[in-house]
Amino acid sequence: MSPGAPRFTAVRDFLARHAYIALAAGALLVLTRTVDFAPPPLVRPDPSAHGGAAGPVPVQEFSPDLHHPQVMQLRLVLRRYDDPALRVTADDHALDDRGDVLSSPLVTAVVGTEAAVDQNVKLEGGDLQLRLALRATPRLSTGGATTLEHTLEIHSQRDGWTGRRERPVVIAGGVLSELDNRGQRWVFAVDDHLFSLDLEAVRPPGPV
């Protein structure tokens, strides 16, 4: 037997015992030469997508069966406009069709009793939130007209890599009158979003 025979035999025995290594190596060579592999692209949020509801939100309708003169229905309609540069004003509804309704909570209040609306509206996949807080008390003025004592607070919250940042956007209060004829609108901006919030009220006519 030649001097190299034991070494050849040892190599042959090693390959026989570890044949799977050779098969795996061969398969890897085939794949790397025949398959053009690239990792999938990172999934990133579309910067133009603002999040929010999946579809249009219908505006809640006032009840036609509200006949008791001691109750009032209050509705808040929050819109976000498709162009933050639009000249939306507090006394003009001509551009309402350019706004997407994000929420329209409706509550029924008893004259002399406080009603409340508390709502969080999420945008940009939840990174931005608007917190709406309305406290309103309908009252009867001299002559039977209805007034509305109210406070409204709107805060924005944004989550970022430095944590959560909250700031007040609208702080308002006072007494509103003639809501059946004109309502009340606030126009405000948060970052690159333009919003309007309408407060509307309906009370059946008649003596209390």
Side-chain angles (χ1 to χ4, degrees):
M1 181 179 294
S2 64
R7 183 179 299 173
F8 175 78
T9 301
V11 172
R12 183 186 62 189
D13 292 343
F14 176 82
L15 291 176
R17 291 194 305 270
H18 301 85
Y20 66 92
I21 296 177
L23 290 175
L28 181 61
L29 288 173
V30 171
L31 285 174
T32 55
R33 291 180 179 275
T34 60
V35 178
D36 184 13
F37 174 76
L42 295 177
V43 178
R44 294 187 175 91
D46 181 359
S48 65
H50 297 301
V57 176
V59 176
Q60 301 298 311
E61 297 295 334
F62 291 112
S63 173
D65 300 321
L66 190 67
H67 299 302
H68 200 291
Q70 290 187 337
V71 297
M72 170 182 281
Q73 284 193 305
L74 304 174
R75 179 171 66 190
L76 283 174
V77 181
L78 177 67
R79 290 181 175 88
R80 183 191 59 215
Y81 296 87
D82 57 8
D83 182 356
L86 288 176
R87 297 184 64 83
V88 179
T89 61
D91 56 356
D92 187 3
H93 291 261
L95 297 174
D96 282 3
D97 59 347
R98 297 286 299 273
D100 294 325
V101 176
L102 300 183
S103 69
S104 61
L106 187 151
V107 297
T108 300
V110 178
V111 171
T113 303
E114 181 182 272
V117 173
D118 290 288
Q119 193 166 52
N120 284 354
V121 179
K122 295 183 178 182
L123 303 117
E124 299 182 9
D127 291 340
L128 175 64
Q129 295 188 48
L130 293 183
R131 294 195 298 109
L132 310 178
L134 173 71
R135 300 292 182 271
T137 304
R139 298 194 185 279
L140 290 178
S141 63
T142 304
T146 306
T147 61
L148 188 68
E149 296 177 0
H150 77 287
T151 59
L152 173 69
E153 294 189 9
I154 304 175
H155 290 78
S156 69
Q157 291 181 345
R158 178 172 288 283
D159 292 331
W161 65 274
T162 58
R164 173 168 292 182
R165 177 168 55 91
E166 179 174 340
R167 65 185 181 92
V169 180
V170 174
I171 306 293
V175 179
L176 303 176
S177 60
E178 300 180 4
L179 286 173
D180 288 334
N181 297 327
R182 61 178 178 85
Q184 177 70 28
R185 164 171 282 194
W186 295 270
V187 178
F188 59 96
V190 177
D191 298 340
D192 60 344
H193 304 278
L194 177 65
F195 301 92
S196 68
L197 181 69
D198 290 291
L199 172 60
E200 302 164 344
V202 167
R203 185 180 72 84
V208 177

